[in-house]
Amino acid sequence: MAWSSSPASAPRNQGLVIPDDWPGYKLDLFTFPHHYSEDLECVFIPHGIITDRTERLAKNIMNDIGDNYITVLCVLKGGYKFCADLVEHIKNLSRNSDKFISMRVDFVKVKSYCNDQSMEEIQIIGGEELSKLTGKNVLIVEDIVGTGRTMRSLLSHIEKFKPKMLKVVSLLVKRTQEGHGYRPDYAGFEIPNIFVVGYALDYNEYFRDLNHICIISEKAKAKYKV
Protein backbone atom coordinates (compact mmCIF):
# COMPACT_ATOMS: atom_id res chain seq x y z
CA MET A 1 0.00 0.00 0.00
CA ALA A 2 1.46 3.34 -1.03
CA TRP A 3 -1.03 5.90 0.21
CA SER A 4 0.43 9.11 1.58
CA SER A 5 -0.43 10.13 5.11
CA SER A 6 -0.78 13.76 6.09
CA PRO A 7 1.94 15.23 8.32
CA ALA A 8 0.93 16.12 11.87
CA SER A 9 0.73 19.80 10.96
CA ALA A 10 -1.53 19.24 7.93
CA PRO A 11 -5.20 20.23 8.23
CA ARG A 12 -7.57 17.41 9.15
CA ASN A 13 -9.77 18.23 6.18
CA GLN A 14 -7.16 16.83 3.82
CA GLY A 15 -7.90 13.26 4.82
CA LEU A 16 -5.86 10.21 3.88
CA VAL A 17 -4.53 10.97 0.39
CA ILE A 18 -4.85 8.23 -2.24
CA PRO A 19 -2.61 9.05 -5.24
CA ASP A 20 -3.73 9.17 -8.85
CA ASP A 21 -1.77 6.05 -9.75
CA TRP A 22 -3.27 3.87 -7.00
CA PRO A 23 -4.36 0.67 -8.84
CA GLY A 24 -6.66 -0.68 -6.14
CA TYR A 25 -6.89 -4.32 -5.09
CA LYS A 26 -7.74 -7.34 -7.22
CA LEU A 27 -11.37 -8.37 -6.88
CA ASP A 28 -10.56 -12.00 -6.06
CA LEU A 29 -8.96 -10.91 -2.78
CA PHE A 30 -12.36 -9.89 -1.36
CA THR A 31 -15.96 -11.01 -1.15
CA PHE A 32 -18.79 -9.01 -2.73
CA PRO A 33 -22.22 -9.72 -4.32
CA HIS A 34 -21.67 -12.17 -7.16
CA HIS A 35 -24.06 -10.33 -9.48
CA TYR A 36 -21.52 -7.49 -9.68
CA SER A 37 -18.58 -9.71 -10.65
CA GLU A 38 -18.52 -8.40 -14.24
CA ASP A 39 -19.22 -4.78 -13.29
CA LEU A 40 -16.19 -3.79 -11.21
CA GLU A 41 -12.60 -2.93 -12.05
CA CYS A 42 -11.13 -3.26 -8.57
CA VAL A 43 -11.67 -2.76 -4.85
CA PHE A 44 -10.45 0.79 -4.33
CA ILE A 45 -10.87 1.13 -0.54
CA PRO A 46 -11.63 -2.05 1.47
CA HIS A 47 -14.39 -1.97 4.07
CA GLY A 48 -12.01 -2.57 6.97
CA ILE A 49 -9.96 0.53 6.12
CA ILE A 50 -13.17 2.57 5.83
CA THR A 51 -14.18 1.38 9.31
CA ASP A 52 -10.84 2.29 10.89
CA ARG A 53 -10.75 5.71 9.24
CA THR A 54 -14.34 6.42 10.32
CA GLU A 55 -13.44 5.61 13.92
CA ARG A 56 -10.61 8.16 13.75
CA LEU A 57 -12.97 10.80 12.34
CA ALA A 58 -15.33 10.10 15.23
CA LYS A 59 -12.47 10.69 17.68
CA ASN A 60 -11.55 13.99 15.99
CA ILE A 61 -15.17 15.14 16.18
CA MET A 62 -15.39 14.13 19.85
CA ASN A 63 -12.23 16.08 20.65
CA ASP A 64 -13.49 19.18 18.84
CA ILE A 65 -17.18 19.38 19.73
CA GLY A 66 -17.69 17.03 22.67
CA ASP A 67 -19.92 18.14 25.55
CA ASN A 68 -22.49 19.46 23.09
CA TYR A 69 -25.92 18.52 21.83
CA ILE A 70 -25.70 18.21 18.06
CA THR A 71 -28.06 17.49 15.20
CA VAL A 72 -26.47 15.08 12.76
CA LEU A 73 -27.85 15.82 9.30
CA CYS A 74 -27.30 12.84 7.04
CA VAL A 75 -27.28 13.54 3.29
CA LEU A 76 -29.22 10.75 1.57
CA LYS A 77 -28.95 8.40 -0.02
CA GLY A 78 -25.22 7.88 -0.33
CA GLY A 79 -24.36 9.03 3.17
CA TYR A 80 -26.51 6.63 5.17
CA LYS A 81 -23.94 3.87 5.81
CA PHE A 82 -21.15 6.31 6.64
CA CYS A 83 -23.49 8.26 8.89
CA ALA A 84 -24.72 5.17 10.74
CA ASP A 85 -21.17 3.92 11.34
CA LEU A 86 -19.87 7.36 12.34
CA VAL A 87 -22.70 7.91 14.84
CA GLU A 88 -22.10 4.46 16.34
CA HIS A 89 -18.39 5.20 16.78
CA ILE A 90 -19.18 8.55 18.42
CA LYS A 91 -21.59 6.82 20.80
CA ASN A 92 -18.98 4.24 21.75
CA LEU A 93 -16.36 6.91 22.35
CA SER A 94 -18.81 8.96 24.41
CA ARG A 95 -19.35 6.04 26.79
CA ASN A 96 -15.65 5.98 27.64
CA SER A 97 -14.77 9.66 27.53
CA ASP A 98 -14.81 12.71 29.77
CA LYS A 99 -16.67 14.42 26.94
CA PHE A 100 -20.15 13.47 25.77
CA ILE A 101 -22.06 14.23 22.59
CA SER A 102 -25.82 13.97 22.70
CA MET A 103 -27.06 13.39 19.15
CA ARG A 104 -30.24 13.64 17.17
CA VAL A 105 -30.12 12.31 13.60
CA ASP A 106 -32.12 13.89 10.78
CA PHE A 107 -32.03 13.50 7.02
CA VAL A 108 -31.99 15.53 3.83
CA LYS A 109 -31.87 14.20 0.29
CA VAL A 110 -29.76 15.91 -2.35
CA LYS A 111 -29.78 14.81 -5.99
CA SER A 112 -26.88 16.06 -8.09
CA TYR A 113 -25.88 13.19 -10.43
CA CYS A 114 -27.36 11.50 -13.49
CA ASN A 115 -25.33 8.46 -14.56
CA ASP A 116 -21.74 9.51 -13.73
CA GLN A 117 -22.17 13.21 -14.57
CA SER A 118 -22.88 16.06 -12.20
CA MET A 119 -26.14 17.87 -12.99
CA GLU A 120 -26.41 21.64 -13.35
CA GLU A 121 -29.49 21.82 -11.14
CA ILE A 122 -29.20 20.54 -7.58
CA GLN A 123 -32.37 19.23 -5.96
CA ILE A 124 -32.77 19.46 -2.16
CA ILE A 125 -35.56 17.19 -0.91
CA GLY A 126 -36.79 17.39 2.66
CA GLY A 127 -35.65 20.99 3.07
CA GLU A 128 -38.95 21.99 4.64
CA GLU A 129 -37.79 20.39 7.91
CA LEU A 130 -34.58 22.41 8.07
CA SER A 131 -36.25 25.21 10.02
CA LYS A 132 -35.75 22.98 13.09
CA LEU A 133 -32.00 23.65 12.83
CA THR A 134 -32.28 27.25 14.02
CA GLY A 135 -29.95 27.79 16.97
CA LYS A 136 -28.68 24.17 16.84
CA ASN A 137 -25.20 22.68 16.52
CA VAL A 138 -25.31 20.90 13.16
CA LEU A 139 -22.95 18.27 11.74
CA ILE A 140 -23.64 17.45 8.08
CA VAL A 141 -22.58 13.93 7.11
CA GLU A 142 -21.88 13.50 3.38
CA ASP A 143 -20.58 10.56 1.36
CA ILE A 144 -18.47 12.43 -1.19
CA VAL A 145 -17.51 16.00 -2.09
CA GLY A 146 -16.49 16.58 -5.71
CA THR A 147 -16.45 20.09 -7.10
CA GLY A 148 -17.98 21.36 -3.85
CA ARG A 149 -20.88 22.97 -5.72
CA THR A 150 -23.51 20.70 -4.18
CA MET A 151 -22.27 21.18 -0.62
CA ARG A 152 -21.97 24.94 -1.06
CA SER A 153 -25.59 25.04 -2.21
CA LEU A 154 -26.73 22.94 0.74
CA LEU A 155 -24.75 25.03 3.23
CA SER A 156 -26.14 28.25 1.78
CA HIS A 157 -29.66 26.85 2.15
CA ILE A 158 -29.12 25.71 5.75
CA GLU A 159 -27.43 28.95 6.80
CA LYS A 160 -30.71 30.76 6.11
CA PHE A 161 -32.09 29.05 9.21
CA LYS A 162 -29.25 30.40 11.38
CA PRO A 163 -27.80 27.32 13.09
CA LYS A 164 -25.49 27.96 16.05
CA MET A 165 -22.70 25.80 14.58
CA LEU A 166 -22.40 24.20 11.15
CA LYS A 167 -19.70 21.66 10.32
CA VAL A 168 -19.32 19.07 7.55
CA VAL A 169 -17.73 15.64 7.56
CA SER A 170 -17.34 13.79 4.25
CA LEU A 171 -16.05 10.28 3.79
CA LEU A 172 -14.49 11.11 0.41
CA VAL A 173 -13.15 14.26 -1.23
CA LYS A 174 -12.28 14.23 -4.94
CA ARG A 175 -9.39 16.09 -6.51
CA THR A 176 -11.10 17.85 -9.42
CA GLN A 177 -10.05 20.59 -11.80
CA GLU A 178 -13.53 22.07 -11.41
CA GLY A 179 -13.16 22.37 -7.64
CA HIS A 180 -14.49 25.59 -6.11
CA GLY A 181 -11.95 25.61 -3.29
CA TYR A 182 -14.38 24.03 -0.83
CA ARG A 183 -13.12 21.53 1.76
CA PRO A 184 -15.23 19.91 4.49
CA ASP A 185 -14.20 20.33 8.12
CA TYR A 186 -13.41 16.61 8.34
CA ALA A 187 -12.50 14.26 5.48
CA GLY A 188 -11.90 10.52 5.45
CA PHE A 189 -10.04 10.06 2.16
CA GLU A 190 -8.88 12.32 -0.64
CA ILE A 191 -9.24 10.40 -3.90
CA PRO A 192 -8.50 11.02 -7.60
CA ASN A 193 -11.24 12.34 -9.87
CA ILE A 194 -12.78 8.93 -10.56
CA PHE A 195 -16.28 7.54 -10.22
CA VAL A 196 -16.56 5.11 -7.32
CA VAL A 197 -19.40 2.97 -6.01
CA GLY A 198 -20.16 0.92 -2.92
CA TYR A 199 -20.61 1.57 0.79
CA ALA A 200 -23.95 3.18 -0.18
CA LEU A 201 -22.49 5.20 -3.08
CA ASP A 202 -24.48 4.30 -6.17
CA TYR A 203 -24.61 4.42 -9.93
CA ASN A 204 -28.29 4.95 -10.78
CA GLU A 205 -29.29 3.15 -7.55
CA TYR A 206 -27.04 0.12 -8.18
CA PHE A 207 -24.04 -0.92 -6.06
CA ARG A 208 -25.23 0.52 -2.73
CA ASP A 209 -25.06 -3.02 -1.28
CA LEU A 210 -21.28 -3.28 -1.74
CA ASN A 211 -19.32 -3.09 1.53
CA HIS A 212 -16.14 -1.91 -0.19
CA ILE A 213 -15.63 1.22 -2.26
CA CYS A 214 -14.93 0.05 -5.81
CA ILE A 215 -14.29 1.39 -9.29
CA ILE A 216 -17.09 0.66 -11.71
CA SER A 217 -16.23 -0.64 -15.18
CA GLU A 218 -17.11 1.25 -18.35
CA LYS A 219 -19.16 -1.76 -19.41
CA ALA A 220 -21.25 -1.47 -16.25
CA LYS A 221 -21.78 2.27 -16.80
CA ALA A 222 -23.36 1.44 -20.17
CA LYS A 223 -25.28 -1.49 -18.70
CA TYR A 224 -26.98 0.53 -15.93
CA LYS A 225 -27.24 3.87 -17.76
CA VAL A 226 -30.62 5.65 -17.69
Side-chain angles (χ1 to χ4, degrees):
M1 184 180 297
W3 298 354
S4 60
S5 57
S6 305
S9 60
R12 286 178 182 166
N13 64 1
Q14 182 177 14
L16 183 61
V17 179
I18 303 179
D20 290 345
D21 59 355
W22 172 242
Y25 297 93
K26 292 182 179 180
L27 294 172
D28 59 9
L29 296 174
F30 299 90
T31 57
F32 54 89
H34 179 70
H35 54 275
Y36 291 142
S37 59
E38 301 297 324
D39 300 330
L40 304 172
E41 294 287 347
C42 68
V43 172
F44 199 66
I45 309 176
H47 182 255
I49 295 176
I50 298 170
T51 299
D52 287 352
R53 183 69 184 125
T54 302
E55 185 174 11
R56 180 65 215 197
L57 289 173
K59 185 175 182 179
N60 291 344
I61 292 167
M62 274 290 299
N63 289 338
D64 290 348
I65 58 177
D67 290 331
N68 275 291
Y69 181 92
I70 65 172
T71 297
V72 176
L73 187 63
C74 175
V75 180
L76 297 174
K77 299 180 183 176
Y80 78 85
K81 283 182 69 68
F82 175 49
C83 183
D85 290 346
L86 181 70
V87 166
E88 191 60 31
H89 282 305
I90 292 174
K91 286 181 179 179
N92 290 336
L93 289 169
S94 291
R95 295 187 187 103
N96 300 288
S97 173
D98 294 335
K99 293 183 176 182
F100 181 78
I101 292 182
S102 180
M103 292 177 291
R104 170 180 175 267
V105 181
D106 213 336
F107 304 90
V108 65
K109 185 176 179 181
V110 178
K111 185 173 178 59
S112 59
Y113 269 85
C114 181
N115 297 318
D116 62 344
Q117 299 298 313
S118 179
M119 299 188 303
E120 286 297 323
E121 183 177 348
I122 297 167
Q123 302 173 8
I124 300 175
I125 304 168
E128 65 276 0
E129 298 294 323
L130 297 181
S131 59
K132 298 177 182 178
L133 302 180
T134 301
K136 302 291 177 54
N137 297 311
V138 180
L139 177 68
I140 299 175
V141 180
E142 175 68 291
D143 55 350
I144 186 166
V145 171
T147 64
R149 189 170 58 90
T150 299
M151 184 52 65
R152 283 186 182 278
S153 295
L154 180 60
L155 287 171
S156 177
H157 187 70
I158 292 174
E159 285 168 353
K160 296 176 183 177
F161 301 101
K162 302 187 183 307
K164 180 180 178 182
M165 179 198 76
L166 186 57
K167 292 186 177 294
V168 178
V169 54
S170 181
L171 177 63
L172 304 176
V173 175
K174 281 188 182 181
R175 293 188 295 275
T176 67
Q177 293 181 347
E178 301 82 14
H180 294 194
Y182 172 78
R183 303 287 297 197
D185 300 282
Y186 307 93
F189 303 87
E190 180 183 291
I191 66 171
N193 188 18
I194 55 175
F195 194 86
V196 292
V197 295
Y199 196 66
L201 283 81
D202 76 306
Y203 178 81
N204 295 330
E205 298 300 327
Y206 291 93
F207 303 101
R208 293 195 193 275
D209 51 340
L210 281 169
N211 281 332
H212 315 292
I213 292 176
C214 301
I215 296 180
I216 183 176
S217 68
E218 292 301 318
K219 181 179 178 181
K221 288 181 182 180
K223 177 180 176 181
Y224 299 113
K225 187 176 181 179
V226 296

